Amino acid sequence: MSDNRVQFGTKLGVIATTVGSAVGLGNIWRFPYEAGTHGGGAFLLMYIFFILVIGIPVICAEFIMGRGTRRNIFGAFRMLHSCRQWAWIGYMGIIASILILSFYSVVAGWTLEYFTQSLTGGIASMDYGVRNQSFDEFSTGWRPVMWTLVFLAFNAVIVLRGVRKGIEKASNILMPILFVILILFCVNSLFMPGAREGLEFLFKPDFSKVDSSVLIGALGQAFFSLSIGLGTMMIYSSYFSEETPLVKSAAMTASLDTLVAILAGIIIFPAVFTFDAEPAAGPKLVFEVLPDIFHQLPGGVVWSTLFFFLLFLASLTSTISMSEICVAFFCEQLGLSRKRAALLNTGIAMTLGTLCALSFGALNGFRIFGLTIFDLFDYASSNVMLPLGGMLISIFVGWFIDRNVVVAQLKGTGTIPGWFLRLVIFSLKYVAPAGIGLVFLAGLGVI
Ligand code: PHE
């Protein structure tokens, strides 16, 4: 079966799809708001540190399992080890993917609202100076529910078209355009009166601010942003060809992803200080500040239309990757047709997504552990399930599977120096699991 599995067509396709999965609202919406609530510079530094010492090894582990077996997360664990309990990690990945898809679609829905507001010119009259009102008014109403459902419908259409055609084509063209626009916006922000203060906030670490919540936040953000710990990179790498160099692709995905997050930070924080916004405003931060940016930009309406359209597409390339986890599981393990699998996935996400959308309004009072449904889904998946999944995946690959499989996958059809191979394996065996374990212990207050 493995031989006639669909494969990505081109080299660019490989990197564009993994980057397409990684780059999305995680970089442009979640990174600035997490950095804003966790003190800026120190958060950024921890985040980059975690990407390097934990993120890249975990991506490699997922790639090894994915291409080594050409199966979804369940099939991969089953094929590589006789003990069936390992596959439980797969259940966690599937649950995490559904939780993320649900709250992510709400934010993607906000981008659709902003896109249409830009198209109709509404964004121009939006809230300059009365910033807090417009977003709050919108987000507490029913429109976000509608947009969440509309977004999930788009997502379903692309997922239904299958792996190669839908996903690959879209990401090849769109990601580079988004990148160019982000750079232009960065330049614009650098000329704002609050640029200095904003850049200091983002880049000057204040270590007195590092506590366990900063560590957990940065680790969770690293996992969320790289789309790891739940099987996304595993399922994508199961479509890689034998020639794809795994470590190089992992490093490339991580670098581009981090770069986009930093660009987003450079766009947002100068604006935050110029327009007197609150860096710790939480999930609404970016959506409150962006209209101000467009307001002062010549031709702002055109820029905002383009930007929100591309952000919507960047979100789609991420949500199709999370849907793929579930859909591949429903198809390959439960024997459903692709169509049924995609519909089931969409139905569940629409139900939970509606609850998340209402978390800002009608259901705001409904809290579990003091968190709204939206925040709970986000916290549980990003800060707990993904790092836990990543820890177990690296332990599995480092300690439990046949070393020949690991080496063969890392080498692929090329060569790789012995010391480098040993370094990757060392990271998988010790560094990544211990690093994640320590952050968890810090979070529990044990250390
Ligand atoms: N990495 C994506 C982003 O930054 C989100 C994502 C998380 C996608 C988990 C797939 C799986 O937007």
Side-chain angles (χ1 to χ4, degrees):
M1 105 163 226
S2 61
D3 287 333
N4 44 29
R5 207 157 194 261
V6 195
Q7 288 191 359
F8 287 133
T10 60
K11 251 201 192 132
L12 178 67
V14 169
I15 199 72
T17 40
T18 52
V19 174
S21 164
V23 173
L25 294 168
N27 311 63
I28 291 164
W29 158 74
R30 199 174 188 281
F31 171 78
Y33 109 63
E34 283 281 322
T37 37
H38 290 120
F43 177 88
L44 174 65
L45 207 68
M46 295 316 304
Y47 168 69
I48 293 179
F49 177 74
F50 288 143
I51 297 253
L52 289 175
V53 302
I54 297 175
I56 295 182
V58 174
I59 308 184
C60 289
E62 291 205 18
F63 281 178
I64 291 167
M65 289 182 68
R67 191 176 63 182
T69 60
R70 301 211 178 276
R71 297 272 194 287
N72 67 65
I73 185 162
F74 273 89
F77 277 112
R78 295 242 160 99
M79 194 166 157
L80 291 167
H81 206 276
S82 54
C83 172
R84 296 180 78 81
Q85 313 312 338
W86 281 107
W88 280 92
I89 301 171
Y91 287 117
M92 190 167 69
I94 286 167
I95 295 173
S97 80
I98 293 184
L99 295 185
I100 297 178
L101 183 60
S102 310
F103 75 82
Y104 199 95
S105 301
V106 174
V107 184
W110 295 348
T111 68
L112 283 174
E113 163 84 9
Y114 275 51
F115 169 66
T116 46
Q117 286 289 344
S118 308
L119 262 188
T120 56
I123 203 150
S125 59
M126 219 163 163
D127 73 17
Y128 191 65
V130 277
R131 165 184 319 119
N132 299 329
Q133 269 166 26
S134 314
F135 184 78
D136 285 349
E137 242 164 43
F138 156 68
S139 64
T140 50
W142 286 87
R143 288 170 71 84
V145 175
M146 170 192 87
W147 286 122
T148 305
L149 302 181
V150 170
F151 178 80
L152 282 164
F154 276 117
N155 182 58
V157 171
I158 300 208
V159 172
L160 273 173
R161 291 185 59 200
V163 177
R164 192 163 175 166
K165 277 186 277 159
I167 306 179
E168 192 169 341
K169 258 194 216 151
S171 22
N172 280 357
I173 313 167
L174 301 165
M175 289 296 115
I177 307 183
L178 180 65
F179 196 68
V180 174
I181 297 214
L182 288 177
I183 294 189
L184 292 177
F185 287 178
C186 269
V187 175
N188 172 56
S189 281
L190 291 178
F191 286 101
M192 288 181 180
R196 206 194 152 86
E197 225 181 321
L199 295 181
E200 266 184 16
F201 179 82
L202 181 62
F203 291 112
K204 207 164 154 196
D206 172 359
F207 289 106
S208 66
K209 291 202 177 125
V210 178
D211 58 9
S212 63
S213 84
V214 173
L215 292 178
I216 295 193
L219 184 71
Q221 176 61 21
F223 272 79
F224 185 86
S225 192
L226 293 175
S227 317
I228 51 177
L230 72 170
T232 315
M233 289 298 165
M234 210 180 289
I235 191 77
Y236 268 18
S237 61
S238 74
Y239 306 117
F240 283 3
S241 78
E242 296 303 327
E243 283 83 47
T244 309
L246 297 192
V247 184
K248 207 166 135 193
S249 309
M252 186 108 147
T253 306
S255 327
L256 284 170
D257 185 64
T258 309
L259 184 63
V260 175
I262 295 177
L263 290 180
I266 300 179
I267 296 173
I268 297 298
F269 287 108
V272 165
F273 288 94
T274 303
F275 302 111
D276 235 359
E278 170 54 55
K284 60 187 184 176
L285 176 72
V286 172
F287 286 85
E288 285 187 349
V289 173
L290 281 168
D292 284 345
I293 299 186
F294 295 125
H295 199 88
Q296 55 81 49
L297 208 62
V301 179
V302 179
W303 286 113
S304 68
T305 311
L306 194 61
F307 176 77
F308 286 114
F309 179 65
L310 289 172
L311 191 54
F312 155 67
L313 292 170
S315 319
L316 258 186
T317 54
S318 298
T319 52
I320 46 191
S321 77
M322 20 184 136
S323 310
E324 196 59 35
I325 300 184
C326 244
V327 172
F329 168 73
F330 291 151
C331 292
E332 291 173 22
Q333 304 300 130
L334 303 185
L336 294 190
S337 67
R338 194 171 168 90
K339 191 169 160 196
R340 289 211 164 159
L343 290 178
L344 184 58
N345 179 244
T346 307
I348 301 173
M350 283 186 165
T351 314
L352 296 177
T354 302
L355 299 179
C356 290
L358 292 174
S359 292
F360 292 83
L363 292 180
N364 193 261
F366 181 76
R367 298 196 177 222
I368 303 169
F369 305 122
L371 299 173
T372 62
I373 302 176
F374 180 99
D375 290 335
L376 181 73
F377 280 17
D378 187 352
Y379 194 92
S381 55
S382 318
N383 293 1
V384 181
M385 292 181 179
L386 303 191
L388 189 60
M391 179 160 98
L392 295 171
I393 289 170
S394 46
I395 291 177
F396 182 71
V397 174
W399 296 90
F400 287 90
I401 65 179
D402 185 354
R403 183 55 50 84
N404 295 328
V405 175
V406 177
V407 174
Q409 284 307 320
L410 287 174
K411 280 193 176 151
T413 50
T415 50
I416 130 174
W419 65 268
F420 191 67
L421 203 64
R422 282 193 294 277
L423 179 72
V424 176
I425 294 177
F426 180 79
S427 317
L428 286 174
K429 282 180 90 153
Y430 302 101
V431 184
I436 300 169
L438 286 175
V439 175
F440 276 143
L441 289 181
L444 293 172
V446 179
I447 49 171

